[in-house]
Amino acid sequence: MTPQDQKSIGVFDSGLGGLTVLREIHRVLPRENLIYFGDTARVPYGNKSSSTIIRYSREITRFLLKQDIKAIVVACNTASSYALEAIRELTDIPVLGVIDPAVRSLASEAPPQAVAGLIATKGTIASGAYDTSLRRNGGSQQLIGQPCPLLVPLIEEGYASSQAADLILRDYLQPLAERGVEYLLLGCTHYPLIAASIRRLYPHFKLIDSAAETATTLQGLLTKANLLGNAEKPVIDLFVSDMTDSMRSLKDLFFAEKVDRFEVAQVGDDH
Ligand code: DGL
């Protein structure tokens, strides 16, 4: 039997956005074996009902648990907003979402009176999960939510640096700028892929990206639980529910030859 600390970390997202989190985890914890599942056949989650998001998240969790993992990172803000509790009902291993790490960073970095914008999917904004987390973590900053449903398709289609993206970003972000936003939470794991355009258009926004914060939180959690791995040659396996060109390109961009397996896997009641 694999010793607990040498097991893999399971990471999942609705699609490719979670690779931004996986890349940070690999950077911060280069000796960990990683298993990623991207639900590319069913993305987006951001406009689906909470019951569907919970069902999908539980199906993926069951798939990851079969791979004998030691921790789960929910690298999707929408799933983190609705499904963390339902996932924790399935397992005793640590389960980490992406919202608390980003919120803690805001609560500690920003002055108490600061105004922060939150851009995310419709589902994440509607859930109120960021506000709940901010109050739980003792933050008193003001949060202004802005759903940005067009950003995920733009990014998926390779339009993150385009005139179309600039127009849409202005439409979403100008009202935040006018309300005095200084900090901008990227509340969707796809958004680091459009961060360069946001920085160019609104250089005064201080961006908070959950990927980096989640990786360091995970490091702390594994250290505390005595679960840090030390693989000489760590294995990175990527599974998707549908093989898409955009997933293939991002995998090559982020991980080049480091990925050991890149395969389609089915999740759900029959699998
Ligand atoms: N990865 C999702 C998130 O972070 C965005 C894409 C989707 O809508 O599924 O919320």
Side-chain angles (χ1 to χ4, degrees), residues 13-14 43-46 75-78 121 124 152 187-190:
D13 177 38
S14 57
V43 69
Y45 285 11
C76 172
N77 284 266
T78 313
T121 65
T124 298
V152 167
C188 170
T189 51
H190 276 66

